[in-house]
């Protein structure tokens, strides 16, 4: 049902000849297992959470690590910046931005916290989230609201299944309502909206470009959580969309080494970012003797404490790998088509339905209803039971979650998957869901 190779045999194939231009890539599907180091029996439908490192990228990272350790001072003081500029230049080109509008940060949550903590908040300011805002991002928003001057938090209700048209109508009305609220601080009030490009759970594509435009027209700052975008969403073109801030994870769909993300801040908004996290030694304070203005955006992020730079610089190897596979459109044509077909197949095997039958909200993550009665609500115990059954008993995983009165699973489809993998997942979920039903009776 599933073909793969052991890590040892795969390493023998690739590490002895890692120059990608000297060999043709395997076909998409199970033949791709030789490029990854998975447990041969593991069926991976959860690339979207943590990413999966291709062996050629891992080998490139190992070589870079060895080079650093050979002379840390030379690399960190002289050579590192050239790799840094190359990585930023290449990722900027992919997302349609200028190089000096992009910096690399450890993860998307780090980037979003950097943005939120650099705003100068005042009494009466408002932060808008949605009911599908990623939980840790929502907690970061709540934290900002819990400290002086206590900006308000407003939540836009998004429930799925739905359509892009309904999302935009709901979003437009929520923005209108928030910005028109009467207040003595209305003239100076700042409103900041967190927008998912692709939500985590459900794993759906939102009409984020139109949502950004609605914010712009209303004078609302837009912060786009694009954690799942780069490597999954084609033709992003930030220079055309013009979000105020945008952050995406490179170690998920782009195949960089964990953990690495890109933070985009257009030149017009770089004055907002006065410090990265942690504050670097080249931060310029207005109280400094001889103060001559703030540090440049890029320089702030170039060196802010001793870290392992290999994950951030692995973007170069990841982009080489993707180009060798055939490029963004070829990769995503396979994964998207398989997500659509596989989601429908899984639903038929489970006797349920897909969340997005027309595929308008689906890229490479497909959401399928699970056969668990909706009156069995989410609990930590049920979640642990599902995780244990899937990972320990069946060695397969796709994220189960509860949304809008139903249980669902989010399947992240990648280049190593084939339609038969959905059969393994169906068998595992039938077992796991039955256990949940029995547990709920106790």
């Amino acid at each position: 049902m599933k073909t793969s190779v052991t890590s040892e045999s795969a390493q023998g194939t690739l590490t002895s000849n890692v120059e990608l231009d000297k060999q043709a890539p395997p076909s998409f599907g199970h033949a791709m297992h030789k490029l990854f180091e998975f447990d041969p029996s593991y069926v991976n439908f959860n690339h979207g959470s943590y990413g999966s490192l291709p062996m050629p990228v891992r080998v490139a990272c190992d070589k870079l690590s060895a080079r650093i350790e050979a002379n840390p001072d030379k690399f960190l003081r002289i050579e590192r910046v050239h790799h840094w500029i190359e990585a930023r230049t290449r990722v900027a080109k992919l997302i349609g931005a200028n190089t000096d509008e992009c910096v690399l940060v450890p993860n998307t949550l780090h980037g979003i916290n950097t943005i939120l903590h650099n705003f100068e908040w005042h009494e009466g300011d408002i932060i808008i989230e949605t009911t599908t805002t990623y939980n840790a991002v929502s907690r970061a928003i709540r934290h900002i609201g819990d400290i002086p001057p206590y900006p308000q938090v407003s939540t836009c209700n998004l429930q799925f299944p739905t359509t892009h048209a309904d999302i935009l109508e709901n979003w437009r009305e929520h923005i209108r309502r928030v910005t028109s609220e009467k207040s003595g601080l209305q003239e100076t009030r700042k409103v900041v909206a967190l927008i998912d490009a692709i939500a985590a759970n459900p794993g759906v594509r939102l009409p984020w470009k139109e949502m950004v435009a609605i914010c712009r027209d209303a004078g609302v700052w837009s912060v786009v959580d694009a954690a799942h975008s780069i490597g999954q969403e084609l033709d992003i073109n930030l220079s055309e969309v013009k979000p105020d801030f945008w952050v995406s994870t490179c170690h998920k769909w782009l195949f960089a080494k964990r953990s690495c993300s890109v933070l985009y801040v257009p030149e017009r908004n770089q004055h907002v970012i006065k410090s990265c996290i942690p504050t670097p030694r080249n931060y310029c304070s207005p109280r400094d003797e001889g103060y001559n203005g703030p540090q440049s955006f890029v320089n702030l992020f170039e060196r802010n404490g001793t870290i392992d730079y290999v994950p951030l610089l692995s973007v170069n190897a990841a982009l080489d790998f993707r180009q060798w596979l055939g490029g963004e459109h070829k990769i995503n044509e396979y994964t998207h088509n398989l997500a659509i077909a596989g989601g429908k197949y899984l639903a038929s095997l489970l006797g349920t339905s897909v969340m997005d039958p027309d595929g308008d909200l689906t890229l490479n993550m497909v959401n399928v209803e699970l056969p668990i009665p909706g009156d069995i609500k989410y609990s930590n115990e049920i979640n642990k039971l599902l995780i244990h059954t899937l990972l320990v008993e069946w060695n397969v995983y796709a994220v189960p979650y509860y949304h809008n009165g139903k249980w669902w699973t989010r399947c992240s489809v990648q280049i190593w998957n084939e339609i038969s993998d959905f059969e393994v997942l169906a068998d595992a979920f039938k077992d796991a869901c039955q256990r949940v039903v029995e547990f709920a009776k106790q």
Side-chain angles (χ1 to χ4, degrees), residues 223-243:
V223 179
V224 180
D225 178 352
H228 287 277
S229 287
I230 194 167
Q232 180 177 194
E233 185 174 6
L234 298 170
D235 306 321
I236 293 170
N237 201 349
L238 296 181
S239 295
E240 180 180 292
V241 183
K242 294 181 172 58

Side-chain angles (χ1 to χ4, degrees), residues 184-198:
L185 302 169
Q186 189 171 3
E187 294 300 318
T188 59
R189 181 174 59 199
K190 174 168 57 268
V191 181
V192 178
L194 266 290
I195 300 170
D196 285 322
I198 302 169

Side-chain angles (χ1 to χ4, degrees), residues 110 112 187 262-263:
H110 187 284
I112 290 174
E187 294 300 318
V262 56
L263 165 62

Side-chain angles (χ1 to χ4, degrees), residues 173-183 186 189:
E173 173 58 24
H174 192 88
I175 294 293
R176 186 203 62 76
R177 186 169 62 251
V178 168
T179 55
S180 63
E181 288 176 352
K182 299 300 181 183
S183 168
Q186 189 171 3
R189 181 174 59 199

Side-chain angles (χ1 to χ4, degrees), residues 260-302:
C260 171
S261 292
V262 56
L263 165 62
Y264 162 83
V265 181
E267 186 176 354
R268 69 180 186 275
N269 293 331
Q270 291 181 1
H271 68 280
V272 174
I273 308 299
K274 299 175 179 63
S275 173
C276 55
I277 300 174
T279 299
R281 64 182 186 179
N282 64 353
Y283 167 73
C284 297
S285 169
R287 295 184 176 87
D288 290 342
E289 184 178 347
Y291 175 73
N292 193 31
Q295 182 59 266
S296 74
F297 170 67
V298 170
N299 286 346
L300 280 173
F301 289 83
E302 185 179 302

Side-chain angles (χ1 to χ4, degrees), residues 69-132:
E69 297 308 320
N71 191 330
D73 276 289
K74 182 180 180 182
F75 185 88
L76 294 173
R77 296 178 186 276
I78 298 175
E79 297 176 358
R80 173 187 53 82
V81 68
H82 303 295
H83 294 270
W84 165 261
I85 292 172
E86 180 187 5
R88 290 192 301 107
T89 299
R90 295 182 67 182
V91 79
K93 181 179 179 181
L94 181 62
I95 62 178
N98 296 323
T99 299
D100 286 346
E101 295 176 318
C102 299
V103 293
L104 299 172
V105 295
N107 54 62
T108 294
L109 186 60
H110 187 284
I112 290 174
N113 272 270
T114 299
I115 297 163
L116 292 177
H117 283 276
N118 270 280
F119 274 116
E120 295 183 5
W121 299 104
H122 300 96
E123 183 182 354
D125 288 348
I126 301 173
I127 310 175
I128 299 175
E129 63 173 4
T130 74
T131 46
T132 56

